[in-house]
Structure formats: C-alpha cells, structure tokens
C-alpha cells in the first residue's frame, strides 16, 4: 500500500455484494485511485460521472459536463502518445466487466490490461475500438491494477465503468500535514531574503546576484566534457573540466565561490548532455557520427544549433538506438548522468567523497568545497517544443527530435533513480554499473549518484514547464513501486509558470498580472499537494517573469498601456510594469506557500530590440557588443528592495485582510526576541502601470505607531524610507499598483545611496605604503551593484605581510570590497578582531573576474573595530579596500 494513502479499513477487502457467485457490482473509483501515468490530459474525466448511493468515506467529485471526454493533446501536440492511465483498486478483485463509453469523436483504440502487482507482467484484456461494444465481459479476471493505454489522440473516451464480483474499498486523500512558521519556530521554511531568487549563468558577474538570496544556475555539462571534441573518451574513462571548464570563462570554482561570498545560496541545474552521447544514426545510419562531426561538416549551422541538439535526453544513443516512438524507462540507460551527479556533488558538496574523482589534466582534483546547496536533475523534462528548436535544420528530423527532448514521467523517474544513488547498490557496486558491464567492471566506474558522493546536497526535481501535479504523482507512483527502499527521492518539487493570457484555447499575445492569472491560487494547489503527499519536501517556482520589449508575447499588453508601442516611452513603461509584476509575483508566490521562487532571468538573453519571447525577461540588460552590459532595470532595484525589507521574515498565513480593493500581506518573524513585521500593500489591478495612487490615505488595520513606509524606486537598492502617516488613530498609506511596504519594529539596516552603501573611514597600518589601500575611496562607487570602476594605485604584499585596518570605533560591517588587477597570485586571509583575538572571516584566492575586478564579501553585520589582511604568498596586488557598515550601538 502506498505510504501516504489512507485505505478505509472496513472496505479494504472486496466485500461480498450478494450470495450469487456471478453477481456484479460497479466499483466506486476515487481520484486517489486514478494515476495519469503520462501526465497529459485530465484523466479524472473518465470517472467523473459515477452514480453514488449512500455515504462515502471521502467525497467523489462529479462532473458539471457529462459530455466531456478524455483528451490527451497538449499545446497542439500529440507526439507523446500512447498515453497511459492506471487505476489502483486498492486490493485484488475478480473483475467481471469493463465498459468504455465513446466520446463523440472516438476513432482510435484503447488497450486495456490488468496486473496483480507493479512491477509485474501486464496481461492484455482487450482492445476497445470505435465500433466495439461499450461493455467487454470478463471471466473472473483477478487483478488490482488496470491500465488503459490510449494509442493515439484519436482515442476519445467519455467514461469508464468497472464491474466486479465484490464491491471495493475507497482510497482517500491523506490529511494535510502543514507547518506554520508563525506558530512553530522549528518550521524549516526559508525567510523571504532567501526565498527570493533568480536564474543566472556563469558569464554573468556574481555581484549582480545581490538583488536576490538564491540563484538557479544553468549547469551545461557539455561545457565540462567533450565540448567541440569529436571523439572524447566515453564513460567510464571520461573526465571533467570544472575550473577552468572547456569554455574558459565558465570557471565553476571561482563563480560559485564568488556567489557564496556574497551570501547567496546556489542550485546548479544540470542539463544539456555531453556531445559524445548524441548520434545521428537515425539520419545516416552511422552510430559514431555525433554533433561535433555534423558541425564540422557544415550540416548544423551554428553554435546555437549545437546547444539545441543536446537538449536531448542524456543516454548513449549507440547503446539505445533512437526512434520516434521510443520510451526509455531503464535506469541503466542514464549511467552517464549519474556519473555527473557523483562528480559534481563530490567536488562542490560538503564534505564530499574524495574517491574516484575524474578531472581533466588542466584541473586540480578537489572535493568537499561546500559551494552548492542543491542539484537539480535536468531542465523542463516535459518540454514539448524541442522539435521546434531545430525545425529549420534540414539535417534533423523535428518529429524525432521532439520525442528525444521529452521525458515521460516514468522515463524521468528512471533517470532520477540512477542519479540519486546509481539505482541502488549491490556489494558496494551500483546496480546500473553491474547491469552494463557485468562482473568485469572497469576501474573508476564506481561509485555513482548524488547520495554516494557524501556531499549532503539536496536533490531538486527538474522544473516542469507547468504546474503539473499529475507528472509529480506519476513519478511518486514509479518510486513507490520500483524503489520502495527510498520512497520519493527529491527534496524539492519544482515548477515553471509564466502569467499570460493563453487560456481556454486563446492564443498567447501578452503577459498578465499575477492577480489576473490567479498565481497565488495556482501555487496553493501545489503546496496543498505537497502537504498531503510529500510533507517536508520543498515547493519551488523556479521560473516566472515578464519581457520588456513591447512586442513580446510575454510582455504586458503595450496596446493597452501605450499610445505607440514603438516609442521609447513605451519601452520604459514595460520596464516599470515588469518591476511591479515581478515583485507582486514574489509576494503572491510566498502567500501561496512556496519555499523558493526564482525569476527568469538575471540578464536579458538578447538585445533590447529583440521581441522574441524571454529575450528581454532579465533584471539587467543584455551584455552584447551594442549594449552597455548588465545595466540594471527597475525590476533589479525593486527586487533588491524587497529582499532588503523582508530580511528574516516569512509570510503570515494567519493574517487575513478581506478588502478586495487591495492586497495586504503580513510578513513577520515571531521567533525573534524583538519581533519585526512588515506589511506589503498594493492595488491588484493592472489599469495604469505606474505609481499613481489608486486609493489615497488607505487606513490599515493597525493602530497608529512609529513606522516607516518603503517606496520602490528605480536606482535605489533598498527603496525610499519615509515616515507613515496616521488617520483617525490608524496608520494610513497611499495604495498604488506598485507595492509599498510598511515596516514596524525595524530600520533600514545598511543605508544605501543608490547602489552605494554607507562607507566606513579607516586608517591602515602594518607594512609600508599601505595608504594605497584607501587613497581612491571617492572613485570606487556602486560596488554593491557590481558597477565599480578601475583603480589606479596598488599595494603589493609579499608572503607574511600584514595590514591592519582601524575603523576608529566598533562597527557593524556589512560588506567588504577588494580590488585586484592580478589573477591567481595567492591566498589573502581576512580577519576581524584585535591583537588579543583575531577571528578568521574569509580566505581569498586573489584573482579578478573579467570584466569586473572587484571582489565582494557579504559580512552580514559582523561587529568589530579592526580588520587584518595577511598575505600567504608573494606578489599579491590590492588596489583598494572599501568597507560598508554603520556604528555599533
């Protein structure tokens, strides 16, 4: 029995309905008993018109449209057929009859099978066709599970009826197991500053992540092995390039360390397979002809096609020849992906397994660096659009390619079992290794998988293209029946969702605001699913967002907001609305109960002139040759302010404000000795797209007290802080479509002027010429936002040299910035304290990321008067030191 289902005890067995041996009873089916194994279409429509008599252990929802039939098409696609639906009767029964009522357009075939247990041998019962009789008599067929396979989109069924010699029990939903942080301080939900995240990549300066608290970083494995190499050594003789990678500017060690030094969490999203797995045998019959060969021969046009082709599932196509209809549910096929996860988590987890590290000659073998917190297994495994990516390449077959880019839930579960722990172990050797090589296991082939790395990283399910709970449920079903030893392997269930006007068959033309999209309610459904079936697992929305080009179909409707969509003013309007709606989305996602949210994306993927979908979704501008590069949009500053204001707080689900004219959400931390609270307020409308008051002097349900209202402001990383007015003994504020924050029991913390924080004066002492560390203070501006300019003077330290920075009084130090023009010249140790006791803060391998030469450390308000810099190698060159903070009270 599945661990999270409740089978009503009095009805577990198939009870005798009558004394006659051939008496039949129609079985009652609950939604818990129906599994949409393919996660396409609404499978419950097959059982939503049941006649129900008498009381039931749990309610059975009934249809409002008795003519509705099952339709598994999705986004105009049907390549993922055949579609399978499994019904779990809860216990073995003697089946007497199965009836399928045809829909109006049924011209296809449904295969019906039965089995006693899963995994097990499915026994075919019959094939139902358009002209078949509705009911198919059976002869006391025993079974617990029935499988209905819709062979094509032409199979159109309205209702299914099941009859057996005995009535059956109901499987009912398990109770909700929720955790409320405001009532229980042990709840593990991250505070808002860690909840707020963004998608990014290695070539984006780490300092740009200061606007958020966690990043989802795209980890393209082909940059780590086999990139542009026709015949690299395949598994198990493969090796990995991390620092540097095969694309030199993708230095993993340096990038991850830089992000961690800023205080951000990191999830590495592992996808885009090594090229040696890819072949074009389906095109030319040559299993050794891979993507690099095709590029060299001019059959694939450019680098972008190279990247698109390797969106295929990561299996060795020489071992598993591809076809348009293939479904690969063998965990042994995904041994290469399991190898990647072992190597990544050994190196970047904590503590990390030192055994069997495989690195290229240009890399140093390292383990236990502790730079990652999560690893995500692939990106959008349910992608339906892979064929469209390559349809203009005459060398490729879009029909085959779209299937190669798409995982069924069972395929994805099989790969995840391999990735989790090598699909189980046998005598210290992973089963998938033994399955491939037998007892003649090559050296270096073991171990495999995330858990065998000892890296203690959390395992995130890939972000699905939509909030599809059937897909998660199907994965859970697979693990319950194929890996009962581990149950559900993921620490995170993960979705993507973009708010737009494509509803009810309407073609998408523009983005819509989160309220109009019902974003909070969408998230709440996923959270309720988690609370019932997977308590303790995190819920993420790891992609959402809006474009800023007025003509993009994911931007706000420029024709509604602008007189002329081509004018500069309209582009500026789109940027303002993007900022508003992204912040409102973060607030709605938090109110829905999610644990993390990551906006797409940190930087535009194309120039500001590109109207392609998602090209201008960045919080910063494109960094191409015609662009200024990473220039922050209003959204970057708005999100940064949200993070600053909400530090340490969580959404308070117990606070309810019923006025439909406004959204008023409370965020608090009742676990602090001096609790702080913030109220976010805005108009949920989308009529104006600016900051004009929709409601003036709105009275909050709060008695007048000392408080501040924070206004989101373009160019200001923590907003404009102003005193709150009072109206008739209550706090009152103007309400606009741009959110505002009423802060009670709090202060701004680090004070910023634009992107400049409050800098601390200091004197330097120690070795000679240390004045160069502080002689250009007025020139180095905007460091928090990654905008610092080059410094001219520099100070050279030799091994053992020490510099002490005296701040003249105790300070709370928030940020430390160091400038260096030299790369990789040695370790610099950073300490806080005094001659009596120095506390180590950081170690820095001195180097300067291009094009940004400043190194940033988030010191999170550490208190002290003195900072000590100690050189551990010769020829360390520091151009300037800057400190941000404030006097300690």
């Amino acid at each position: 029995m599945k661990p999270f289902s409740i089978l009503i005890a009095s009805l577990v067995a198939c009870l005798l309905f009558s004394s006659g041996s051939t008496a039949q009873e129609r079985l009652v089916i609950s939604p818990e008993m129906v599994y949409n194994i393919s996660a396409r279409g609404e499978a419950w429509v097959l059982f939503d018109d049941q006649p129900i008599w008498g009381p039931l252990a749990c309610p059975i929802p009934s249809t409002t449209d008795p003519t509705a039939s099952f339709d598994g098409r999705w986004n105009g696609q049907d390549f993922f057929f055949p579609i399978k639906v499994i019904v779990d009767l809860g216990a073995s029964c003697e089946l007497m009859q199965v009836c399928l009522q045809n829909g109006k357009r049924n011209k296809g075939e449904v295969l019906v099978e039965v089995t006693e247990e899963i995994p097990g041998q499915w026994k075919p019962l019959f094939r139902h066709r358009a002209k078949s009789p509705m009911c198919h008599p059976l002869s006391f067929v025993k079974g617990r599970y029935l499988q209905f396979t819709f062979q094509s989109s032409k199979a159109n069924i309205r209702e299914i009826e099941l009859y057996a010699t005995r009535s059956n029990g109901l499987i009912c939903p398990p109770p909700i197991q929720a955790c409320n942080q405001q009532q229980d301080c042990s709840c593990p939900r991250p505070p808002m500053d860690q909840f707020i995240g963004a998608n990014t990549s290695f070539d984006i300066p780490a300092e740009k992540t200061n606007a958020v608290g966690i990043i989802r970083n795209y980890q393209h494995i082909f940059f780590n092995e086999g990139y542009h190499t026709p015949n690299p050594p395949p598994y198990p003789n493969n090796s990995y390039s991390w620092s540097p990678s095969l694309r030199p500017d993708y230095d993993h060690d340096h990038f991850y360390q830089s992000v961690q030094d800023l205080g951000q969490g990191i999830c590495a999203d592992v996808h885009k397979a090594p090229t040696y797995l890819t072949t074009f045998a389906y095109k030319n019959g040559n299993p050794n002809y891979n993507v690099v060969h095709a590029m060299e021969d001019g059959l694939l046009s450019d680098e972008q096609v190279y990247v698109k082709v390797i969106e295929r599932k990561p299996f060795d196509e020489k071992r598993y020849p591809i076809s348009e209809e293939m479904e690969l549910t063998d965990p042994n096929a995904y041994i290469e992906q399991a190898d990647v996860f072992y190597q990544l988590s050994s190196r970047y987890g904590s503590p990390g397994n030192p055994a069997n590290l495989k690195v290229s000659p240009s890399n140093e073998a390292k383990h236990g660096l502790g730079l990652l917190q999560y690893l995500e297994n692939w990106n959008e495994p349910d992608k339906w659009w892979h064929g469209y990516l390559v349809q203009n390449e005459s060398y490729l077959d879009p029909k085959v390619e779209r299937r190669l880019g798409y995982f069924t839930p069972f395929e994805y579960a099989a790969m995840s079992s391999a990735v989790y722990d090598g699909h189980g172990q046998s005598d210290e050797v992973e089963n998938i290794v033994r399955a491939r090589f037998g007892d003649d296991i090559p050296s270096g082939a073991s171990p495999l998988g995330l858990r065998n790395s000892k890296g203690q990283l959390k395992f995130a399910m890939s972000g699905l293209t939509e909030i599809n709970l059937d897909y998660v449920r199907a994965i859970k079903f697979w693990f319950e029946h194929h890996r009962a030893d581990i149950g559900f392997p993921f620490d995170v269930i993960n979705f993507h969702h973009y708010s737009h006007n494509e509803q009810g068959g309407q073609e998408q033309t523009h983005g819509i605001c989160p309220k109009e999209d019902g974003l909070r309610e969408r998230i709440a459904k996923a959270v309720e699913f988690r609370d019932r079936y997977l308590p303790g697992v995190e819920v993420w929305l790891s992609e959402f967002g809006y474009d800023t080009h007025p003509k993009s179909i994911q931007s706000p409707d420029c024709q509604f907001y602008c007189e002329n969509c081509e004018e500069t003013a309209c582009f500026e309007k789109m940027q303002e609305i993007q900022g508003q709606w992204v912040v409102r989305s973060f607030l709605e996602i938090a109110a829905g109960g999610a644990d993390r949210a990551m906006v797409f994306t940190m930087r535009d993927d194309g120039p500001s002139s590109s109207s392609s979908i998602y090209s201008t979704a960045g919080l910063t501008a494109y960094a191409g040759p015609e662009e200024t590069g990473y220039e922050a949009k209003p959204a970057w500053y708005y999100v940064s302010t949200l993070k600053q204001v909400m530090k340490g707080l969580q959404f308070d689900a117990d606070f309810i404000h019923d006025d439909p004219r406004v959204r008023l959400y409370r965020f608090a931390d009742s676990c602090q000795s001096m609790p702080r609270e913030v109220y976010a307020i805005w108009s949920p409308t989308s009529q104006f797209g600016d900051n004009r008051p929709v409601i003036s002097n709105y009275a909050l349900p709060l008695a007048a007290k000392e408080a501040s209202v924070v206004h989101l402001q373009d160019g200001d990383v923590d907003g404009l802080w102003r005193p709150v007015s009072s109206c008739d003994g209550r706090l009152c504020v103007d309400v606009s479509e741009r959110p505002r924050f009423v802060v009670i029991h709090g202060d701004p913390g680090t004070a910023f002027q634009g992107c400049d924080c409050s800098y601390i004066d200091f004197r330097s002492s120690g070795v000679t010429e240390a004045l160069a560390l502080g002689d250009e203070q007025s020139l180095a501006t905007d460091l928090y936002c990654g905008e610092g300019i080059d410094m001219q003077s520099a100070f050279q330290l030799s091994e053992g040299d020490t510099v002490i920075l005296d701040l003249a009084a105790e300070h709370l130090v928030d940020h430390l910035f160091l400038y260096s023009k030299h790369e990789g010249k040695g370790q610099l140790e950073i300490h806080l304290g005094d001659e009596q006791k120095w506390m180590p803060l950081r170690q820095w391998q001195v180097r300067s990321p291009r094009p940004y030469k400043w190194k940033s450390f988030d010191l999170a308000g550490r208190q002290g008067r003195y900072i000590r810099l100690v050189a551990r190698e010769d020829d360390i060159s520091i151009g300037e030191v800057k400190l941000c903070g404030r006097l300690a009270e």
Side-chain angles (χ1 to χ4, degrees):
M1 186 60 62
K2 295 172 289 301
F4 299 110
S5 297
I6 298 176
L7 184 60
I8 304 306
S10 61
L11 297 174
V12 171
C14 289
L15 303 176
L16 185 62
F17 178 71
S18 71
S19 58
S21 61
T22 59
Q24 297 184 33
E25 170 72 1
R26 181 174 178 179
L27 303 182
V28 180
I29 307 300
S30 71
E32 295 295 306
M33 303 163 73
V34 180
Y35 289 86
N36 189 339
I37 295 305
S38 301
R40 301 271 71 92
E42 177 51 66
W44 177 243
V45 75
L46 296 167
F47 301 92
D48 65 352
D49 197 19
Q50 301 177 66
I52 303 298
W53 296 278
L56 295 173
C58 50
I60 305 277
S62 59
T63 182
T64 56
D65 182 6
T67 65
S69 55
F70 177 70
D71 185 352
R73 293 172 298 178
W74 180 52
N75 285 314
Q77 304 291 311
D78 60 5
F79 68 85
F80 32 75
F81 278 86
I83 285 177
K84 298 179 180 181
V85 175
I86 290 178
V87 179
D88 177 6
L89 301 178
S92 182
C93 294
E94 289 188 326
L95 297 164
M96 299 295 292
Q97 187 172 217
V98 176
C99 303
L100 293 88
Q101 301 179 27
N102 291 330
K104 292 182 179 180
R105 61 176 184 81
N106 185 33
K107 297 180 181 179
E109 178 181 278
V110 179
L111 171 64
V112 181
E113 301 168 287
V114 68
T115 188
E116 287 277 14
E117 60 182 3
I118 296 176
Q121 186 69 38
W122 287 101
K123 175 184 177 183
L125 295 178
F126 59 87
R127 294 179 182 270
H128 178 87
R129 299 179 175 90
K131 295 184 179 180
S132 299
M134 186 180 91
C135 293
H136 300 260
L138 305 174
S139 179
F140 298 97
V141 173
K142 292 193 67 176
R144 171 175 173 173
Y145 300 95
L146 285 165
Q147 181 168 264
F148 299 86
T149 303
F150 296 75
Q151 302 288 15
S152 72
S153 60
K154 295 180 179 179
N156 187 248
I157 302 298
R158 191 187 71 78
E159 195 78 11
I160 296 175
E161 302 172 13
L162 307 176
Y163 295 86
T165 58
R166 303 166 181 241
S167 61
N168 67 302
L170 281 184
I171 301 177
C172 291
I176 290 177
Q177 302 180 57
C179 192
N180 187 326
Q181 179 71 25
Q182 302 304 320
Q183 300 173 1
D184 181 0
C185 294
S186 66
C187 285
R189 286 188 63 190
M192 283 294 290
D193 51 305
Q194 298 173 27
F195 164 90
I196 298 164
N199 290 264
T200 191
S201 189
F202 290 102
D203 58 335
I204 300 173
E207 284 73 16
K208 295 301 174 181
T209 67
N210 267 328
V212 299
I214 185 171
I215 65 165
R216 177 176 180 257
N217 187 69
Y218 294 106
Q219 178 71 46
H220 301 166
I221 292 301
F222 73 99
F223 282 138
N224 305 119
E225 56 167 330
Y227 180 54
H228 277 306
T229 304
N231 297 298
Y235 175 86
N237 299 313
N238 56 324
S239 64
Y240 296 89
S241 297
W242 308 111
S243 180
S245 73
L246 299 177
R247 176 174 167 172
D249 57 334
Y250 279 22
D251 188 315
H252 293 52
D253 290 8
H254 178 55
F255 178 79
Y256 289 148
Q257 184 66 64
S258 296
V259 172
Q260 186 187 78
D261 288 339
L262 291 169
Q264 327 304 7
I266 306 173
C267 171
D269 177 22
V270 183
H271 70 128
K272 293 188 177 177
T275 52
Y276 72 81
L277 297 181
T278 302
T279 76
F280 296 103
Y282 79 85
K283 193 72 176 179
N284 60 13
N286 182 356
N288 296 312
Y289 196 82
N290 63 29
V291 63
V292 178
H293 293 121
M295 286 283 293
E296 290 177 342
D297 293 344
L299 296 173
L300 297 179
S301 59
D302 57 30
E303 181 79 4
Q304 287 303 309
V305 175
Y306 185 108
V307 174
K308 292 170 184 175
V309 169
I310 54 177
E311 287 278 3
R312 293 178 179 181
K313 291 189 285 285
F315 64 87
D316 188 341
E317 296 170 8
K318 294 187 289 293
R319 291 179 177 271
Y320 299 87
I322 60 180
S323 68
E324 185 178 348
E325 294 82 18
M326 73 181 301
E327 182 178 6
L328 193 55
T329 58
D330 179 7
N332 304 323
Y334 302 104
I335 192 169
E336 287 82 5
Q337 185 77 345
D339 187 56
V340 171
F341 269 70
Y342 175 84
Q343 296 296 326
L344 257 176
S345 52
S346 289
R347 185 179 185 93
Y348 295 113
S350 179
N353 195 334
N356 299 91
L357 298 178
K358 301 191 291 187
V359 296
S360 66
S362 65
N363 277 220
E364 179 184 350
K366 299 178 181 179
H367 67 94
L369 297 180
L371 297 178
L372 297 179
Q373 290 74 50
Y374 297 88
L375 284 180
E376 180 180 344
N377 186 24
W378 214 247
N379 180 57
E380 297 188 333
D382 58 337
K383 61 175 65 72
W384 54 269
W385 35 263
H386 186 243
Y388 290 108
L389 286 178
V390 297
Q391 63 184 351
N392 294 326
E393 297 296 319
S394 60
Y395 186 67
L396 304 178
D397 185 340
K399 292 182 179 180
V400 175
E401 294 296 331
R402 66 187 181 181
R403 189 63 187 80
L404 288 174
Y406 178 85
F407 286 85
T408 68
F410 278 14
E411 286 179 311
Y412 183 73
M415 180 175 75
S416 297
S417 179
V419 164
Y420 180 79
D421 64 353
H423 194 54
Q425 288 190 328
S426 174
D427 297 326
E428 302 302 322
V429 177
E430 286 70 10
N431 289 338
I432 60 174
V433 176
R434 193 175 296 281
R436 178 172 293 190
F437 298 105
D439 292 329
D440 189 20
I441 298 173
S443 61
S446 175
L448 289 171
L450 179 73
R451 288 293 167 255
N452 294 321
S453 75
K454 314 301 182 186
Q456 299 181 9
L457 296 179
K458 290 187 176 181
F459 192 25
M461 191 188 87
S462 173
L464 301 177
T465 62
E466 61 177 353
I467 303 175
N468 187 340
L469 300 179
D470 280 340
Y471 200 103
V472 181
R473 209 165 165 249
I475 293 172
K476 182 173 180 290
F477 184 92
W478 189 94
F479 274 96
E480 287 169 353
H481 293 282
H482 294 82
R483 292 298 310 275
D485 57 320
I486 62 172
F488 194 72
F490 297 107
D491 301 292
V492 176
I493 57 174
N494 193 3
F495 309 97
H496 298 167
H497 177 76
Y498 292 86
S499 299
H500 52 69
N501 68 330
E502 182 186 5
Q503 299 177 20
Q506 177 183 355
E507 183 179 358
Q508 179 181 349
T509 60
H510 59 266
I512 59 177
C513 73
K515 171 63 168 62
E516 185 179 347
D517 184 44
L519 181 59
R520 175 179 178 175
E521 292 74 17
R522 293 177 185 271
I523 298 299
K525 288 182 180 179
V527 171
E528 180 184 349
F529 175 90
R530 182 273 310 277
D531 290 344
R532 286 191 187 277
Y533 302 101
L534 299 167
V537 170
E538 296 181 41
V539 175
W540 288 9
L541 190 70
S542 62
E543 280 191 28
F544 70 94
Y546 299 94
D547 283 328
T548 55
H549 190 287
K551 295 295 183 68
S552 167
I553 61 173
Q554 190 52 35
S555 72
D557 185 0
C558 74
Q559 296 182 8
F560 178 82
Y561 292 105
C562 305
E563 293 183 4
N564 185 341
C565 292
E566 306 289 345
E567 291 182 344
T568 300
C570 190
F571 282 75
E572 293 172 351
K573 186 82 162 184
M574 296 298 103
Q575 290 198 10
E576 164 64 21
I577 300 174
Q578 180 206 34
Q580 291 182 16
W581 290 4
V582 165
V583 170
R584 286 161 59 169
S585 294
F586 273 121
L587 295 168
E588 298 284 20
I589 297 165
D595 297 279
R596 310 268 191 182
M598 291 88 161
V599 65
F600 186 87
T601 178
M602 186 55 69
R603 178 205 59 206
D604 286 351
D605 284 343
S608 58
S609 59
S610 174
S611 62
S612 299
I613 188 169
Y614 308 134
S615 285
T616 57
L619 301 183
T620 67
Y622 184 62
E626 298 180 359
E627 306 289 332
T628 56
Y630 312 108
E631 181 179 356
K633 297 180 183 179
W636 194 95
Y637 296 103
Y638 293 1
V639 172
S640 173
T641 299
L642 177 67
K643 174 190 171 185
Q644 295 287 340
V645 170
M646 296 291 183
K647 277 186 177 179
L649 306 183
Q650 293 180 321
F651 175 75
D652 181 5
D654 296 327
F655 176 82
I656 299 174
H657 188 67
D658 290 328
D659 188 342
R661 299 176 301 161
V662 302
R663 282 287 213 238
L664 181 64
Y665 291 161
R666 180 178 185 267
F667 295 82
D669 184 359
S670 58
C671 301
Q672 292 180 342
S673 58
M674 295 183 64
R676 189 168 68 92
E677 55 184 333
V678 172
Y679 293 82
I681 186 167
W682 71 98
S683 170
T685 58
S686 54
Q687 295 298 307
F688 307 109
D690 55 29
N691 198 33
R692 74 184 68 177
V694 178
I695 305 174
S696 298
N697 292 322
Y698 184 83
L700 302 177
L702 302 168
K705 61 185 75 174
E706 185 176 342
S708 300
V709 59
V710 182
H711 300 260
L712 300 174
Q713 180 71 27
D714 185 15
D716 198 319
V717 300
D718 62 350
L720 298 176
W721 292 63
R722 298 289 184 266
V724 180
S725 303
S726 61
C727 305
D728 298 326
R730 289 175 139 189
L731 295 178
C732 60
V733 295
D734 290 343
V735 180
S736 72
E737 291 178 351
R738 188 195 294 176
R740 298 176 184 183
F741 307 101
V742 177
V743 181
I744 300 171
H745 302 309
D747 60 66
T750 302
F752 289 90
Q753 297 293 325
C755 282
D756 283 344
C757 49
S758 297
Y759 292 115
I760 306 172
D761 292 330
F762 62 85
R763 293 179 301 159
S764 58
S765 62
V767 295
T768 59
E769 300 175 358
L771 292 177
L773 298 180
D775 63 343
E776 297 175 276
Q777 295 287 292
S778 62
L779 301 178
T781 58
D782 297 344
L783 298 180
Y784 180 85
C785 299
E787 302 295 339
I789 65 174
D790 288 352
M791 298 289 97
Q792 301 305 311
S793 64
F795 176 63
Q796 300 292 127
L797 289 89
S798 300
E799 184 175 2
D801 284 350
T802 298
V803 176
I804 296 176
L805 308 180
D806 182 358
L807 314 186
E810 290 280 313
H811 279 73
L812 300 175
V813 184
D814 295 303
H815 300 279
L816 168 66
F817 304 103
L818 297 168
Y819 181 89
S820 173
K821 290 184 178 180
H822 289 238
E823 292 196 31
K825 293 295 184 181
Q827 291 281 346
L828 183 72
E829 293 181 358
I830 306 168
H831 303 83
L832 179 71
D834 55 37
E835 293 295 342
Q836 303 302 315
K837 183 177 182 180
W838 291 106
M839 293 183 298
L841 289 180
R842 296 285 194 275
Q843 283 193 353
W844 180 31
Q845 181 68 39
V846 180
R847 61 199 311 174
S848 55
R850 307 291 185 192
Y852 191 66
K853 300 182 177 67
W854 285 90
K855 173 65 178 178
S856 303
F857 293 97
D858 184 347
L859 300 185
R862 296 288 293 271
Q863 183 169 339
R865 172 174 171 173
Y866 300 96
I867 290 178
R868 184 176 69 172
L869 309 177
V870 181
R872 291 306 179 196
E873 295 182 52
D874 285 338
D875 198 24
I876 294 179
S877 176
I878 306 297
E880 198 76 8
V881 177
K882 295 208 74 170
L883 300 167
C884 276
R886 56 205 185 278
L887 277 170
E889 295 181 359

